[in-house]
């Protein structure tokens, strides 16, 4: 007997032509955006509502494009274009969680700072991770005395003042990184406290095939120059130690060579103008003593 034929695929699970066309359009838009824009911010949009994203798109529409989507679709679009755009593979490790792209012609630091100013207050949710330490201040709560048991459950000391509950001391409900419990959420709701703020978070910067941490935007010109000087000094030190001439070490070679010439001039009858005054002092002990005394006077004062 022949085995039974495999079951036919469920028509409901098969993508129709409209869905396939929509996916293809999204893939094309994603890849073309990487081609069109030189700068791209990889962002996280957890707890950012669709209305907020629409507002951002409208605010920055003249020079930026916001592109969100499912991580699976983003990965597929990038992997399907691996041969023509191999540089986009560097983006794949960042496609975790609720992320998206902001393609822009603006200065990246300026754009980040503008977006960062838009935060939305939000209430705590049970099971979420606290993004900051939350302290309930001492003082009146506006709650009726019948709610005293609720505070006792949370080990919060209270007293009744003018027919309302008053908290005796500041209470730290949770610290940053803790998991928020349902009791803490209930208390914050009763006190009408919204301790968290949500907005777009910046995970990385994509530029010409490389991805950098978003923190590089905080590096100022002074710090860049300091790091550059450190690198030059390290190259010069290595060059001098190995006696391998480099451009970074040339000022040191010149200075060391001039020192040798000075020593030869001071130890011989041949005088160069750079050491003429020094030789004159050495030949005149009284002038040398006077110069030494003059130099020591400010230090003594």
């Amino acid at each position: 007997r022949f085995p039974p034929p495999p079951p036919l695929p469920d028509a409901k699970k098969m993508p129709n032509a409209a869905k396939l066309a929509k996916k293809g359009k999204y893939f094309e838009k994603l890849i073309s955006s990487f081609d069109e824009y030189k700068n791209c911010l990889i962002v996280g949009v957890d707890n950012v509502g669709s209305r907020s994203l629409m507002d951002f798109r409208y605010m920055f529409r003249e020079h930026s494009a916001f592109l969100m989507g499912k991580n699976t679709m983003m990965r597929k679009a990038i992997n399907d274009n691996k041969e023509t755009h191999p540089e986009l593979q560097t983006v794949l490790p960042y496609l975790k969680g609720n992320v998206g792209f902001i393609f822009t012609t603006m200065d990246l630091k300026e754009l980040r700072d503008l977006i960062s100013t838009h935060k939305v207050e939000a209430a705590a949710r049970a099971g979420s991770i606290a993004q900051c330490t939350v302290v309930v201040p001492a003082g009146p709560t506006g709650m009726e005395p019948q709610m005293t048991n609720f505070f006792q459950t949370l080990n919060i000391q209270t007293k009744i003042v003018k027919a309302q509950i008053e908290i005796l001391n500041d209470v730290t409900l949770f610290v940053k990184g803790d998991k928020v419990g349902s009791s803490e959420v209930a208390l914050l709701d009763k006190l009408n406290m919204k301790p968290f703020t949500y907005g777009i978070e910046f995970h990385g910067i994509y530029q010409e095939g490389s991805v950098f941490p978003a923190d590089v935007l905080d590096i100022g010109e002074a710090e860049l120059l300091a790091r550059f000087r450190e690198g030059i000094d390290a190259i010069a030190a290595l060059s001098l130690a190995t006696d391998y001439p480099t451009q970074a070490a040339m000022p040191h070679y010149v200075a060391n060579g001039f020192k040798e010439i000075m020593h030869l001039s001071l130890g011989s009858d041949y005088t160069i103008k750079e050491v003429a005054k020094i030789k004159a002092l050495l030949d005149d002990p009284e002038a040398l003593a006077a110069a030494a005394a003059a130099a020591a006077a400010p230090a003594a004062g």
Side-chain angles (χ1 to χ4, degrees), residues 277-291:
K277 291 183 179 180
I278 299 176
K279 292 188 73 171
L281 286 174
L282 294 175
D283 293 337
D284 188 349
E286 293 182 0
L288 180 60

Side-chain angles (χ1 to χ4, degrees), residues 117-284:
T117 60
H118 295 79
K119 299 286 186 179
V120 178
E121 291 185 350
R125 295 186 299 178
S128 63
I129 303 301
Q131 61 177 226
C132 62
T133 299
V134 175
V135 177
V136 176
T141 63
M143 299 171 64
E144 298 179 352
Q146 291 84 348
M147 299 297 298
T148 303
N149 291 336
F150 178 76
F151 287 92
Q152 290 177 349
T153 303
L154 294 172
N155 295 320
I156 299 176
Q157 296 182 349
T158 61
K159 65 180 179 179
I160 306 300
V161 178
K162 296 181 180 180
Q164 67 171 325
I165 298 175
E166 183 172 312
I167 298 176
L168 295 180
N169 305 300
D170 291 349
V171 178
T172 301
L173 284 185
F174 42 77
V175 299
K176 182 178 180 179
D178 285 351
K179 190 173 183 179
V180 181
S182 57
S183 299
E184 290 85 355
V185 170
L187 176 60
L188 293 172
D189 288 341
K190 293 180 184 300
L191 296 176
N192 196 27
M193 292 179 62
K194 294 182 177 180
F196 299 154
T197 57
Y198 293 109
I200 292 179
E201 298 179 352
F202 301 90
H203 295 172
I205 301 166
Y206 174 84
Q207 285 184 328
E208 300 179 354
S210 299
V211 180
F212 309 96
D215 295 342
V216 300
L217 296 177
D218 296 320
I219 300 177
E221 183 177 350
E223 186 174 353
L224 283 175
L225 290 174
R227 296 287 181 88
F228 181 76
R229 292 192 189 98
E230 290 177 2
I232 293 296
D233 291 342
I235 294 173
L238 181 62
S239 177
L240 293 171
T242 58
D243 199 23
Y244 183 83
T246 62
Q247 189 173 358
M250 287 308 298
H252 300 279
Y253 281 118
V254 173
N256 292 337
F258 182 70
K259 290 178 183 179
E260 294 294 333
I261 295 174
M262 287 180 60
H263 294 159
L264 289 173
S265 178
L266 291 172
S268 66
D269 295 332
Y270 183 80
T271 302
I272 60 176
K273 63 180 181 178
E274 287 80 5
V275 299
K277 291 183 179 180
I278 299 176
K279 292 188 73 171
L281 286 174
L282 294 175
D283 293 337
D284 188 349

